[in-house]
Amino acid sequence: MAMVCLSDFEAYAKKYLPKIAWDYFAAGADDCTTRDENILAYKRIPFRPRMLRDVSVMDIRTKILGSEISFPVGIAPTGFHQLAWPDGEKSTAKAARAMDTCYIASTYSTCTLEEISTAAPGGLRWFQLYIHRNREASRQLVQRAEALGFRGLVLTADLPYTGKRRDDVRNGFRLPPHMKVKNLERAFEVCKLSPLDPSVTWNDIYWLRSLTSLPIIIKGILTREDAELAVRHGVQGIIVSNHGGRQLDEGPATIDALVEVVEAVRGRVEVYVDGGIRKGSDVLKALALGAKCVFIGRPALWGLAYKGEEGLQDVLRILQDEFRLSMALAGCASVSEIGQHLVQFSRL
Amino acid sequence: MAMVCLSDFEAYAKKYLPKIAWDYFAAGADDCTTRDENILAYKRIPFRPRMLRDVSVMDIRTKILGSEISFPVGIAPTGFHQLAWPDGEKSTAKAARAMDTCYIASTYSTCTLEEISTAAPGGLRWFQLYIHRNREASRQLVQRAEALGFRGLVLTADLPYTGKRRDDVRNGFRLPPHMKVKNLERAFEVCKLSPLDPSVTWNDIYWLRSLTSLPIIIKGILTREDAELAVRHGVQGIIVSNHGGRQLDEGPATIDALVEVVEAVRGRVEVYVDGGIRKGSDVLKALALGAKCVFIGRPALWGLAYKGEEGLQDVLRILQDEFRLSMALAGCASVSEIGQHLVQFSRL
Amino acid sequence: MAMVCLSDFEAYAKKYLPKIAWDYFAAGADDCTTRDENILAYKRIPFRPRMLRDVSVMDIRTKILGSEISFPVGIAPTGFHQLAWPDGEKSTAKAARAMDTCYIASTYSTCTLEEISTAAPGGLRWFQLYIHRNREASRQLVQRAEALGFRGLVLTADLPYTGKRRDDVRNGFRLPPHMKVKNLERAFEVCKLSPLDPSVTWNDIYWLRSLTSLPIIIKGILTREDAELAVRHGVQGIIVSNHGGRQLDEGPATIDALVEVVEAVRGRVEVYVDGGIRKGSDVLKALALGAKCVFIGRPALWGLAYKGEEGLQDVLRILQDEFRLSMALAGCASVSEIGQHLVQFSRL
Amino acid sequence: MAMVCLSDFEAYAKKYLPKIAWDYFAAGADDCTTRDENILAYKRIPFRPRMLRDVSVMDIRTKILGSEISFPVGIAPTGFHQLAWPDGEKSTAKAARAMDTCYIASTYSTCTLEEISTAAPGGLRWFQLYIHRNREASRQLVQRAEALGFRGLVLTADLPYTGKRRDDVRNGFRLPPHMKVKNLERAFEVCKLSPLDPSVTWNDIYWLRSLTSLPIIIKGILTREDAELAVRHGVQGIIVSNHGGRQLDEGPATIDALVEVVEAVRGRVEVYVDGGIRKGSDVLKALALGAKCVFIGRPALWGLAYKGEEGLQDVLRILQDEFRLSMALAGCASVSEIGQHLVQFSRL
């Protein structure tokens, strides 16, 4: 089976992963409408490709929060990578470093932050945080991450409670006994994800600020109002996200929400987006609409499921090649040439 | 089979109910376009979820016409509950009371109003009325309902004649001989639903007013013009309804009609909506667009068909849990925080 | 098999007619897009039904060009009725008279005008004319029709050449040897439909005017510009029609074109519409948008195919019942109460 | 099997061509969205047909860059015709001459320009050019073409790199060993299409201009901005094209892009379009929206695959008949009567 595009990896993962793991990764909330809209919304945005521009030398590198990456695609935070591949997040970290991009490690990793750091020293990594009822546990996590060289703190804002994913309910999903949410082992038992704190508010960003000098990126913003609040509370970046359609179903597709967030932010902080990226040309559209970088969630897991570190590199390399080709065919030789003129705005 | 969401109950009912009963409950008029649009229209309304609001303490209670209910979902009037479960409307009344919400009992119940009252004393109930050619029969019904403690009178306005439901015609639908429309037994034989009065007009609301001190709620309004007339004729509430798509096919979906009715009413009376509610997030959308409460028809029947009183409680509990979760994920901790800002209005 | 709605007759005809006949009647031009759009376009027009209006006494009669008919549905001109039923147009004429409505007999009838007249004396009939290269033949036809008591002359304007109906080409469609286009037998052999005159222009309406005192109705108008020309050239009526989607594919659905034609005509002549009528509520929509009457083509043939005169009466009776019921459910007690307020205009 | 419309030829080719050849011709980039949109976009443009205009004498001839052709449909440049038929481009040239229209021979022909010229002396032909890194090779090609009597030079602007066509990657597509890209044999080996020059810019049009006195037509323009640049750089014609959806996926359908290009060009040069033409009425729509002529790619290959020169003539003849009939049914007797009034512009 030739692995030509990301859906080849999806088909592989669906075929070879245990059903309960596949279902967990694939799950969307309720009717999975938002999960699927994330993908469909990209298709509704037509390009306006330009011709006869010198694209013989292509430069697809970019910077996020000052760190250079090989192309504007990073790894979004997702939990439980050992469900996809035995070495779990250690493989993810190695692949991200090999491809010279950013990996956002999840609180719900099945490897410790220390294991992740040791597996790929020097890689660009951010740490994703859920704030727990036990604030001391969260404080320790943040400070461990900073000490280990993580270079950004990603606060997930859209999970005061876990969304209703019907298949997980039917399957009675929980981690197999030999896997642990290791980062939290010392603090408490979290297999049921229960100790998240639903009372978190914008003021808690000030509390986070007091704990760390890392840049704070807020993840899960979908409206101009919340984008404005995020900027006012001093974050350094915003990830437009609907948690892969796993939280509130029937909210906006992320690429649609990106437009309004970018407009509200007016360049004051960097804006990223995740959800629905399946081709290099999706990356190009996201950048044309103002994203500084995109993050992939499920496709990274499919890559892991295929061949661990190597499989994830394959996924990233395909996206990289497709992104470079899309740029060239649209008439852009470097990321700095990408702009809103590349897409048909009136159809949004 | 795990009962995770309302469509699980639908699948159960379709499998286990006699075909003639399933067809009767499922029927829509003509091509069933409106029946199906009621559901699809909800999907066209995207949320604008807000983040980082304290949702640790959730309050989903509300009041309708002064009576508090545990959450803004009641039981719409539907006929012939014994087709779904042997104890019929007695089970419905018990489940509604157990879940602390409102049950609108239909004129076409297969239990008497007295049986319904006795089954669940103290429950919040409204009585749904069709005005018959024999006005004396209708008068008696209204006054029996008031005497039995029903707290609202729901006048159905959209059935001067019965809509054309093709499957019922093909099946030659009529009640099995051992079931009766008991409330009307003393007055006349109604198996064919014939004695409804198609000459009813707005002035008959004054006649109803003269019979009872109960609040009058009019059901079946779909336009701003009729909403204005309803307010002017002194009703206390409006249920935006198209009779589950069983009357005039190809009218508006109720959630679309709700917007114009709410605008026309300008808060002078309470507005409710039925039709197409299949998830807790549908309830949230209806409230965001101005409904004080929603009512469920077919899903209640599926619950009855599953396990009678207990099955209907399951249906209501699932809706309640989903509604609470949707509210939290949209950033609302109480019903009073729900408003039009929660939905993408421009797409309506 | 119960015949409950028009699609039951369609299914019957598809099952029992010889394939070559079914294909001929069902055929649309090219990709059949317009044929199908005629039906779909009705579904895109939502009703705005009104409640609590006295609909106990329903009056569905109307007048076309001064002649009263039992309800606003007539029989559109279609050819070769003997392909559907042995008695052909004689049965059609009888059914139309029995149901007290108008039948437009086609030039391409398989019975003579005399046979049609004799079969149902006194019935309201119009005669549909194609102008042939042999103008004398056309003149004779017009004058025979007038002498036989036909009360209108319908000039088909959209067939300078026959549209490309792929199935007819594949089937090598031609009339079976025992059938004849009898009206033209004396003049010439027309099995291949060839002698139509593609040089006809608006001025030929003056020529027709000189031949007969019958009202002239032009059939096949789809634009405001042609509607204006029709009025200026002195026709008495316009049938908005795309020939059932059998001529130029991908023109407008007739119900969409009706709106612009009605606006252009501003009441100066009567406007009718054919194409896509499948339910009584379609008739109501057409009248709400300004049609004085609709005409049915294929459904009449399905009725003939089912049981000849009796089958066509069944079709008409179903449409009549559905139309009456739709009117009542929309809040109209008589045809004069039907108006644009009944449909959601903004969605057109 | 009767060959009635172009999709009959498509079905034939799909059935009888080797899979690798069918896949190569059918391929679109990525998800094939643009390839399919090219066709679907035509369906979204409704005609406004006019009636009662004298269409007894039809004139469908037109001129492109001063040369008369029998109807406004030419053969677009496509590669490797020997994959479809043993005689390859020689058959194509003969069919185009027999039908009195223009054939744009591709750089990637499997016959030499000399063979093509000899096969059909006197035929109207243009030569399509990719500019190679080896400019000398390109110069020779241009001058050979001019010397052989080709009457136009078509510069393809949308292929700095080859688009990602998944099936070709899976199939490992390359020419069979007995076929050659003969025009380039003397210069270099091109089976992998690699030596195209991605550094080409608008200035290279001046270089081409210096090589030849042939009119230069630029192919692959999709935006008003590039149309303006093309005019300013002195081209004689523009082919609005997205390379059959084989380059950047999710750009505009060509018929949609045509409108904006025609507006930008304001008659200063001729504008043509390719992509998605499947019926004579598509040609009529393209002309109504401002194209001087259309070019067909895949349908020509299907015709070749069916019966070589004869099969391609069949395809062209069908399109010609359909175009003539569409014109007549829309009320146009000659190409000069075609205009924007024929289509419903507001729906674009």
Side-chain angles (χ1 to χ4, degrees), chain C residues 8 22 39 46 52 55 87 98 102 119 133 143 151 159 201 204 206 234 243 250 254 291 300 332 335 344:
Chain C
D8 293 333
W22 166 261
I39 294 171
L52 296 189
V55 290
D87 274 354
C102 179
R133 295 181 196 271
Q143 293 177 343
R151 286 189 250 169
L159 204 136
T201 67
D204 290 292
Y206 299 134
H243 217 109
E250 303 183 6
T254 50
C332 299
V335 166
Q344 187 83 26

Side-chain angles (χ1 to χ4, degrees), chain C residues 30-31 33 37 155-164 166 169-170 197-202 205 218 220-226 229 247-252 256 260, chain D residues 2-8 42-58 278-279 281-282 284-285 318 322 325-330 341 344 347:
Chain C
D30 292 341
D31 291 331
T33 303
E37 269 295 300
L155 174 66
T156 296
D158 60 4
L159 204 136
Y161 302 97
T162 302
K164 180 169 182 176
R166 294 175 185 168
V169 179
R170 292 186 209 285
D197 185 352
S199 76
V200 173
T201 67
W202 290 100
I205 292 181
I218 189 163
I221 300 304
L222 292 167
T223 59
R224 68 175 63 82
E225 296 90 335
D226 280 348
L229 285 170
Q247 290 295 99
L248 181 65
D249 197 24
E250 303 183 6
D256 290 337
E260 95 173 55
Chain D
M3 305 311 268
V4 174
C5 59
L6 267 54
S7 30
D8 294 333
Y42 276 101
K43 297 216 156 288
R44 290 192 291 260
I45 302 170
F47 282 116
R48 295 176 51 76
R50 302 297 302 275
M51 302 300 145
L52 296 189
R53 298 157 88 100
D54 180 349
V55 290
S56 55
V57 180
M58 298 294 300
R278 296 294 178 269
K279 294 183 299 187
S281 60
D282 297 336
L284 181 57
K285 288 180 183 177
I318 285 172
E322 288 180 348
L325 180 57
S326 298
M327 275 180 61
L329 297 182
H341 61 277
Q344 187 82 26
R347 285 216 216 160

Side-chain angles (χ1 to χ4, degrees), chain B residues 38-70:
Chain B
N38 275 350
I39 294 171
L40 295 171
Y42 276 101
K43 297 215 156 290
R44 291 192 291 261
I45 302 170
F47 282 116
R48 295 177 51 76
R50 302 296 303 276
M51 303 300 145
L52 296 189
R53 297 157 88 99
D54 180 348
V55 290
S56 54
V57 180
M58 299 295 299
D59 180 6
I60 62 173
R61 299 188 71 82
T62 193
K63 283 187 178 175
I64 50 174
L65 295 181
S67 301
E68 192 170 88
I69 50 180
S70 66

Side-chain angles (χ1 to χ4, degrees), chain D residues 6 20-21 25-26 53 104 125 136 164 171 177 186 199-200 203 206 222 228 239 250 258 275 278 280 285 332 345 347:
Chain D
L6 267 54
I20 196 169
F25 291 140
R53 298 157 88 100
I104 309 178
R125 279 183 291 277
E136 177 58 17
K164 180 169 182 176
N171 293 336
R186 283 174 284 181
S199 76
V200 173
N203 285 331
Y206 299 132
L222 293 168
E228 180 62 33
I239 304 182
E250 303 182 7
L258 175 68
R278 296 294 178 269
K285 288 180 183 177
C332 298
F345 210 65
R347 285 216 216 160

Side-chain angles (χ1 to χ4, degrees), chain D residues 59-71:
Chain D
D59 181 5
I60 63 173
R61 298 189 72 81
T62 193
K63 284 187 176 175
I64 51 173
L65 296 181
S67 300
E68 192 171 88
I69 50 180
S70 66
F71 77 124

Side-chain angles (χ1 to χ4, degrees), chain C residues 69 71-76 101-104 293-297 316:
Chain C
I69 51 179
F71 76 124
V73 176
I75 311 291
T101 190
C102 179
Y103 162 38
I104 309 178
C293 176
V294 308
F295 292 92
I296 56 169
L316 288 166

Side-chain angles (χ1 to χ4, degrees), chain B residues 160-213:
Chain B
Y161 302 97
T162 303
K164 181 169 181 176
R165 304 158 196 171
R166 293 174 186 169
D167 281 346
D168 286 352
V169 180
R170 291 184 211 287
N171 293 336
F173 173 77
R174 43 184 308 152
L175 276 189
H178 62 284
M179 295 185 205
K180 301 267 181 263
V181 182
K182 286 191 175 172
N183 288 314
L184 301 172
E185 264 186 319
R186 282 174 284 181
F188 35 66
E189 182 56 58
V190 291
C191 280
K192 294 189 160 185
L193 309 185
S194 52
L196 300 184
D197 185 351
S199 77
V200 173
T201 66
W202 291 101
N203 285 331
D204 290 292
I205 292 181
Y206 299 133
W207 171 70
L208 282 181
R209 184 75 296 152
S210 74
L211 301 181
T212 177
S213 61

